[in-house]
Amino acid sequence: MAVLGLGRSGLSAARALREGGAVPLCWDDNPEARASADAEGFGVRDLARAGGFDGVDWLVVSPGIPHLYPAPNPVIAAAWAAGVPVDNDIGLFFRSFGSGDWAMFDQPPKVVAVTGSNGKSTTSALIHHILQSAGRDSQLAGNIGRGVLDIDPPGEGGVVVLELSSYQTDLARALTPDVAVFTNLSPDHLDRHGGIGGYFAAKRRLFAEGGPDRCVIGVDENEGRYLANQLSEAPADDRVIRVSSGSKLSGPGWDVFARKGFLTEWRKGRQVASIDLRSVRGLPGAHNHQNACAAYAATRALGLAPRVIEAAFHSFEGLPHRSQIVAEAGGVTYVNDSKATNVDAALKALQAFPRIRWVCGGLMKEGGLDALAPGLENVVKAYVIGREAAGFALGLPGIEAEICTEMDTAVTRAVAEAQEGEVVLLAPAAASFDQYDNFEKRGEDFAEKVRARLAG
C-alpha cells in the first residue's frame, strides 16, 4: 500500500495500514517528511520514478495533493498508468468501519458526515457537543479533531462525527455515512475542482455514492435545493430534512429553519418544537443559526429530544477562530472569525453584528469583494491588513478604510477608536498565506494583540 503525502493524515494512514497487516511504502516531496517516515520504520520509495508502483496494490493520497485539477500530481498520474487504484484515508475508513463484534450490539455505531462551504466545522463540533451532553459516546474526526484513522473503535451506540472537505469527498472510493449533512455552497477551491460545478460535484458525492439513511440539506442556495430534490422520492419523504436560515419552510416533509432568532421544527405539516437562539452565546448571527439548524436536524435524526438539544446549545462555547469572543472591555466586544477566509463567510460575520470595526484583508481570492455589499452597512470602519491591503481597500466603496498592512497596527487603531456597543471583528474575507502559515495563526495573532492592547 503506497502512501503519498506524509502530513497528519498520511502518517496516520501509514500507521493504520501497518497495524492492519499491510506494508506501507511512503513518499513526500519534502525530505524532512520522508525522514520522519523513515524514523518510524516505514519504507520510503519515489513513486514517480519508473517501477515506482511495482508490487503496489493501492495508493492512499493526502487531501492537499491535487489528483485532477489544475493538474494531476505526477505520482497519481503514475498510479493511473500502472492501473493502481487511488483512494484516501476517508475511503479507507468507510471500507474498514465495522467489525464482527457489532453482531453483539443492540445499537450498532453510526457515522454522521458533514460537508459544505461554510459552517461545517462549527456544525460538526456542535453535533459532537450535543451528543456528549446527552450522554452518548461520540468522537469528532476528519477535517477537525483527530485523524479519521486515529479514532478508537466505537462501542455500543457510539457515533463518529466527521467533518469532510471537498478534497476528502472528491477522492474517497467509499462514502457510506448513516447521516449526511450539507450546510451550504459558495465559490471556493475553484482551481482545485475545475470550477464551481466540479466543486459542487465533489460535495454531492457524499450523498450520491453511499445512500445515507438520512440527509440534512441546507436549501438556501440552488445547489442545496437541487440536491434535496434529487434525494427525495416524494414531497413527504422524511429521509431528507431541509434546513434554512432566514426562510420559513413548509410542506408535508421534515423541515428545520431559523427566522428572527428562533429555530423551528416542522414535520408532517405541524410544528414539533421551537428554540429561542438569541440568548445562545456560542452561536451568534444568522450563519450560526444555520449551523444550529443543521446540528439540530442531525441529532434529531439520531433520536435526541428537542429539550436535550436546546440545553446543549446553551453550553456550547463555539470554536476558536469562528465567531470566537476573545475579549470584552468598555462595552466593546472583540470577535475572532479568522476562519472567514472567503467572501461568503465574511459577509455572514458582518451581518451578525450591528456596529463593526472590521479587521480584514489578506491574500485575495477569485471573484472580488462585490458580494460583501449587503454587510458593509454594518461597518463603522475597516482596518485593512495584508500585502494586498491597498487593492483590498479599493474593493470596499462607501466605507472608511484605513490601510494598516500589519495586524498590530490594525488592532491598535481599532482598540483606540472603538466605542461602547461596537464590535471589533476579524473576518478577513481572504486567505492568510501572504502573512501567516494558516488562518489559525492569524486568529491567534489577533487575539494576542487585542489582549495586549487592553492590558496595556
Side-chain angles (χ1 to χ4, degrees):
M1 301 282 282
V3 178
L4 175 62
L6 300 174
R8 185 188 71 159
S9 66
L11 282 176
S12 171
R15 296 181 191 114
L17 289 167
R18 180 165 60 186
E19 188 165 337
V23 179
L25 292 173
C26 300
W27 183 255
D28 193 297
D29 291 338
N30 184 340
E32 293 181 2
R34 297 198 299 270
S36 296
D38 182 66
E40 291 195 37
F42 294 118
V44 176
R45 178 192 290 184
D46 187 346
L47 299 166
R49 290 188 175 181
F53 280 94
D54 290 350
V56 173
D57 296 300
W58 208 264
L59 173 63
V60 180
V61 179
S62 293
I65 298 174
H67 64 274
L68 186 56
Y69 302 113
N73 181 278
V75 172
I76 293 175
W80 293 347
V84 173
V86 180
D87 203 350
N88 62 16
D89 61 333
I90 302 301
L92 286 182
F93 167 80
F94 279 111
R95 290 178 65 212
S96 60
F97 190 64
S99 69
D101 295 339
W102 286 23
M104 306 300 294
F105 291 160
D106 292 329
Q107 296 183 22
K110 294 182 181 295
V111 177
V112 178
V114 181
T115 195
S117 296
N118 299 309
K120 56 185 180 292
S121 294
T122 297
T123 299
S124 301
L126 182 55
I127 292 169
H128 174 62
H129 173 77
I130 293 167
L131 290 167
Q132 288 194 316
S133 298
R136 296 282 294 271
D137 175 26
S138 176
Q139 299 182 75
L140 183 63
N143 207 41
I144 188 176
R146 302 168 70 182
V148 70
L149 296 178
D150 287 334
I151 66 171
D152 302 320
E156 173 87 31
V159 181
V160 178
V161 183
L162 300 180
E163 180 199 334
L164 299 181
S165 71
S166 59
Y167 294 179
Q168 293 168 310
T169 58
D170 198 18
L171 191 59
R173 296 172 72 94
L175 288 165
T176 54
D178 297 278
V179 179
V181 180
F182 175 84
T183 58
N184 50 57
L185 194 88
S186 62
D188 208 359
H189 309 304
L190 300 189
D191 58 337
R192 176 66 181 265
H193 297 291
I196 189 69
Y199 177 53
F200 175 55
K203 301 288 189 185
R204 184 178 179 273
R205 290 191 75 246
L206 181 62
F207 304 85
E209 296 294 317
D213 295 335
R214 279 260 160 68
C215 300
V216 177
I217 309 293
V219 294
D220 289 331
E221 297 88 27
N222 282 332
E223 289 84 358
R225 290 186 279 271
Y226 164 84
L227 184 58
N229 183 269
Q230 287 277 300
L231 296 169
S232 299
E233 296 294 334
D237 186 353
D238 66 1
R239 293 174 302 171
V240 176
I241 309 175
R242 291 170 173 82
V243 167
S244 176
S245 174
S247 298
K248 180 180 179 179
L249 303 178
S250 60
W254 197 349
D255 302 319
V256 179
F257 58 89
R259 291 186 71 205
K260 299 179 180 179
F262 285 85
L263 180 153
T264 304
E265 177 187 3
W266 281 76
R267 194 169 186 184
K268 297 181 180 179
R270 67 182 185 88
Q271 181 173 317
V272 176
S274 179
I275 297 173
D276 186 351
L277 298 174
R278 295 172 299 177
S279 60
V280 179
R281 185 176 174 81
L283 296 167
H287 61 307
N288 275 310
H289 293 177
Q290 183 186 57
N291 300 334
C293 288
Y296 176 95
T299 49
R300 286 287 284 144
L302 294 173
L304 272 62
R307 65 182 183 278
V308 172
I309 301 171
E310 180 176 9
F313 280 170
H314 285 280
S315 59
F316 182 67
E317 296 183 353
L319 288 176
H321 318 297
R322 298 160 178 88
S323 298
Q324 176 193 17
I325 298 174
V326 297
E328 292 177 290
V332 178
T333 303
Y334 297 84
V335 177
N336 166 24
D337 203 348
S338 184
K339 184 63 170 64
T341 59
N342 59 47
V343 167
D344 185 68
L347 173 61
K348 290 174 179 175
L350 292 177
Q351 292 175 324
F353 307 102
R355 294 165 56 201
I356 299 169
R357 293 191 178 270
W358 179 32
V359 179
C360 56
L363 190 62
M364 294 176 64
K365 296 186 176 182
E366 294 181 15
L369 304 176
D370 291 348
L372 289 168
L376 296 183
E377 62 184 21
N378 293 340
V379 176
V380 177
K381 181 178 177 180
Y383 305 82
V384 189
I385 63 171
R387 295 177 187 171
E388 302 173 344
F392 195 101
L394 289 174
L396 304 174
I399 66 169
E400 182 182 358
E402 181 176 341
I403 298 172
C404 298
T405 308
E406 301 294 334
M407 183 69 77
D408 186 58
T409 303
V411 170
T412 299
R413 297 288 294 153
V415 170
E417 297 178 355
Q419 304 295 313
E420 183 176 352
E422 294 181 343
V423 171
V424 174
L425 169 69
L426 170 67
S432 59
F433 305 122
D434 58 334
Q435 293 182 312
Y436 300 93
D437 290 340
N438 48 52
F439 72 84
E440 291 96 339
K441 293 294 185 184
R442 178 172 58 189
E444 290 165 5
D445 191 28
F446 170 78
E448 289 171 5
K449 295 293 192 298
V450 165
R451 291 170 184 143
R453 295 297 166 270
L454 295 177

